[in-house]
Amino acid sequence: MSLRNAIEGALAPLRRAVRRPWSLALRMGLYYGVSAFLLLLLTTILLYWALKSQLEWSDDARLMSKLREVQPILVEDPLNVAALQKSVQLEYEARSMEPVWIRVKDVVGHVIIETPEMEKALPVGSFQANWISKGRTKQPYELESAQGQSFRAMSVEISNRSGTRNFIVHIACDHLSESAVLGHFRDRMRNVLGAAIFICGMVGYLLARRGLRPLAEMGATVGQIKASTLNVRLDLAGMPAELTLLAMSFNDMLSRLEDAFSRISRYSADIAHELRTPLHNLRNAAEVALARARKPEEYRDALASCLEECVRLSSLIESLMFIARAESPETMIQRESVNVSQELARIAEFYSASASEGGISIAVETQSGITAELDRQLFQRAVGNLIENAIKYSPSGSTITLLGRVADQKVEVDVIDSGPGIPPEHLPRVFDRFYRVDKARAKLTGGLGLGLAIVKTIAQLHQGTAEIQSELGVGTRARLTFPITRPAQPPRESKAQAEKAAPTEPWAKPARA
């Protein structure tokens, strides 16, 4: 049992290494190494085939050259034995180290003449008979003697001119030196390929590590990014083209995260500030009331002050809950066919009383019969918020205009006033929560800085948009855009939560910017 445990303990690291995912550098190094080795192997095979073909071609050329010497003699004057003997022995005498063996036989198989000592190297019957083809030369072939010696051979049947006699000619040349060259080449290539397996793998891994260095540097930079260092960006200088797009996308993501984090931080600070003021007022009122015994009227005034601050807190919390729930993916709105022209007229009539107190009139200019799939209460609330903002900042004697029209299959509702306008640097942020252009004036009018944020949220719930154009000293135009038809969307949960946050009275006045 102890031996088994020892073996399993020794194999445990290997098993963990096998189960562990391979690194990208190791995978790429393996791919590079295998690809380079296969390319080298293919090149080696092609070189070996080219060398072998060249050596065989050289031997075949010698065989054909000798056949061209013997063939005319057998065709013209086969009885000229002396000339035939001289031609047969010439190659043997000139190249004693690498002779060309020639044997001439008749069709019966009797040897007429042959190269000296050929019987020892290639006895009669060594040549393959099936290589004989009457009237033409067969392709050369490999021939191995009884002693295991390699030859390059050729066999052909030749007839004299009159056709009365036929001869069989066997020609062979020693293939030993060529075989030695090929064997030496194979040995060298085996050594080269054996070393190339390790070299290609190692070089491939090093190249992969070097090629992935920018990715490692990117990972190191990303690993240093924290909530306090969201301003850090990846350096694109010298980065490969394949990683540039990834780095640019990551930098864009960091920019969005930094902006969102900054907004959340400001949002949290604004919430704390907005909650602190009414709570501080509540505490002061309670402390003053409890400082000494007071008359019932004084306690009633203190309670009224506390109630006013509680209403302010309730309005703030309801507005925040409405925005938060409306941004939830599960939130749906209760759409119905709404006559936009009639609704704008009703809203203008409702706010005309409060506008007339400040000497302001409200005019409605809309195309007749404009209908769209909208949530009626939310539409009334969004337009009402814009009208209340316009009433607050419009001078006495001016006119607030409501425009309604259809453009590009969308309903556009404009609320135009003649107020002091909004400075250009504030326009990009007027829809932010708790953002006030004139904070001191907003405090006096009771605004919480959430009115325009609610307007934008309602527009987005309808897959629409909200935007503001303003010019100092001229006025402001706020535009809501809603699609006429209901956009296709997957079924979601009911919008009960959002409706709970919205006031039950469609004309109730939420806090304004």
Side-chain angles (χ1 to χ4, degrees):
M1 183 64 67
S2 59
L3 179 60
R4 179 180 178 182
N5 294 337
I7 295 176
E8 290 182 353
L11 293 179
L14 180 60
R15 292 174 180 173
R16 288 194 297 268
V18 172
R19 289 194 299 264
R20 187 179 304 161
W22 289 12
S23 66
L24 184 59
L26 186 59
R27 293 181 184 181
M28 294 182 63
L30 181 61
Y31 296 152
Y32 292 159
V34 171
S35 300
F37 177 76
L38 291 178
L39 182 61
L40 182 60
L41 178 62
L42 180 61
T43 303
T44 302
I45 293 174
L46 292 177
L47 289 176
Y48 178 81
W49 176 82
L51 178 60
K52 186 173 182 295
S53 300
Q54 180 63 31
L55 294 176
E56 290 178 353
W57 179 85
S58 178
D59 288 342
D60 295 345
R62 292 174 58 195
L63 297 178
M64 291 298 298
S65 176
K66 198 61 184 177
L67 179 62
R68 285 193 294 268
E69 293 180 8
V70 176
Q71 187 173 5
I73 299 175
L74 295 177
V75 172
E76 299 295 339
D77 189 9
L79 297 179
N80 190 353
V81 179
L84 184 61
Q85 181 73 24
K86 181 179 179 181
S87 178
V88 169
Q89 294 183 356
L90 178 63
E91 186 74 15
Y92 175 76
E93 294 174 353
R95 300 185 179 183
S96 57
M97 297 302 294
E98 297 180 1
V100 175
W101 309 97
I102 303 175
R103 176 178 290 137
V104 181
K105 302 188 300 183
D106 56 20
V107 294
V108 180
H110 296 150
V111 177
I112 300 175
I113 192 171
E114 65 180 8
T115 303
E117 301 182 4
M118 185 176 180
E119 182 64 22
K120 296 179 181 179
L122 294 170
V124 177
S126 298
F127 292 83
Q128 300 174 8
N130 59 343
W131 287 96
I132 302 175
S133 179
K134 184 176 181 180
R136 67 183 184 88
T137 303
K138 286 292 293 183
Q139 291 295 329
Y141 56 91
E142 299 289 338
L143 177 62
E144 187 174 349
S145 66
Q147 293 80 16
Q149 188 175 354
S150 178
F151 292 88
R152 190 71 177 170
M154 179 187 298
S155 300
V156 65
E157 185 175 357
I158 302 175
S159 301
N160 62 355
R161 186 175 295 279
S162 61
T164 56
R165 296 190 63 180
N166 294 329
F167 304 94
I168 299 175
V169 179
H170 296 307
I171 308 176
C173 64
D174 191 352
H175 203 60
L176 182 61
S177 60
E178 289 81 355
S179 299
V181 172
L182 294 176
H184 183 69
F185 184 84
R186 288 192 298 269
D187 293 338
R188 290 292 181 88
M189 288 302 101
R190 274 195 294 268
N191 296 334
V192 170
L193 292 176
I197 294 178
F198 301 98
I199 295 176
C200 291
M202 185 60 67
V203 172
Y205 178 74
L206 295 177
L207 291 177
R209 284 287 300 272
R210 183 176 182 84
L212 294 175
R213 185 178 300 171
L215 190 60
E217 295 175 353
M218 182 186 301
T221 303
V222 172
Q224 298 174 357
I225 297 177
K226 304 176 184 177
S228 59
T229 58
L230 287 176
N231 59 333
V232 176
R233 295 294 182 270
L234 297 177
D235 187 10
L236 301 181
M239 188 167 291
E242 293 80 4
L243 296 179
T244 301
L245 181 60
L246 176 62
M248 293 175 61
S249 301
F250 193 83
N251 285 342
D252 292 340
M253 182 188 70
L254 286 177
S255 298
R256 294 192 297 270
L257 287 176
E258 183 182 13
D259 181 68
F261 191 82
S262 176
R263 287 174 179 269
I264 292 175
S265 299
R266 292 196 304 268
Y267 183 41
S268 301
D270 291 339
I271 290 178
H273 178 74
E274 295 295 336
L275 292 176
R276 182 178 59 184
T277 301
L279 289 176
H280 181 70
N281 294 337
L282 284 172
R283 180 178 178 179
N284 286 341
E287 289 178 349
V288 170
L290 296 175
R292 60 182 176 83
R294 298 181 181 276
K295 297 178 180 181
E297 293 78 8
E298 293 177 339
Y299 284 116
R300 189 179 297 109
D301 292 340
L303 290 176
S305 176
C306 291
L307 179 60
E308 182 180 354
E309 295 300 330
C310 288
V311 171
R312 178 181 174 87
L313 279 174
S314 177
S315 177
L316 172 62
I317 293 173
E318 285 184 357
S319 298
L320 291 175
M321 290 179 64
F322 173 78
I323 295 175
R325 289 168 178 168
E327 291 178 349
S328 173
E330 290 78 20
T331 302
M332 291 187 64
I333 58 178
Q334 302 299 322
R335 293 179 182 268
E336 58 180 300
S337 181
V338 176
N339 189 316
V340 177
S341 304
Q342 295 179 1
E343 289 299 325
L344 291 179
R346 291 179 59 194
I347 297 173
E349 182 181 358
F350 178 82
Y351 282 98
S352 60
S354 60
S356 61
E357 294 178 359
I360 302 170
S361 61
I362 301 178
V364 180
E365 301 177 6
T366 65
Q367 300 174 359
S368 61
I370 301 177
T371 59
E373 295 289 330
L374 305 172
D375 186 304
R376 188 185 301 274
Q377 291 187 3
L378 296 183
F379 176 74
Q380 293 171 350
R381 184 172 186 178
V383 178
N385 282 8
L386 295 178
I387 293 177
E388 287 198 0
N389 275 341
I391 292 175
K392 289 178 183 179
Y393 300 109
S394 294
S396 178
S398 63
T399 300
I400 298 174
T401 306
L402 300 184
L403 298 180
R405 63 170 186 164
V406 176
D408 298 330
Q409 296 299 314
K410 294 181 180 179
V411 175
E412 294 182 353
V413 176
D414 291 355
V415 178
I416 306 172
D417 63 50
S418 302
I422 302 174
E425 63 271 15
H426 295 285
L427 287 177
R429 296 192 57 193
V430 292
F431 288 106
D432 292 352
R433 302 165 191 174
F434 300 112
Y435 187 79
R436 301 181 179 90
V437 176
D438 188 348
K439 297 184 179 182
R441 185 173 181 181
K443 290 291 184 182
L444 295 175
T445 57
L448 295 174
L450 293 175
L452 291 180
I454 292 176
V455 171
K456 182 178 180 181
T457 301
I458 293 175
Q460 291 176 344
L461 280 175
H462 289 82
Q463 282 76 50
T465 59
E467 57 185 16
I468 285 184
Q469 299 175 357
S470 184
E471 185 176 352
L472 291 177
V474 177
T476 301
R477 176 191 292 263
R479 172 170 295 177
L480 296 175
T481 303
F482 302 100
I484 294 179
T485 58
R486 181 180 307 185
Q489 58 184 358
R492 295 176 180 172
E493 297 181 5
S494 173
K495 182 185 157 279
Q497 293 180 338
E499 288 182 344
K500 290 180 181 178
T504 56
E505 169 61 45
W507 310 113
K509 299 180 181 180
R512 295 294 168 260

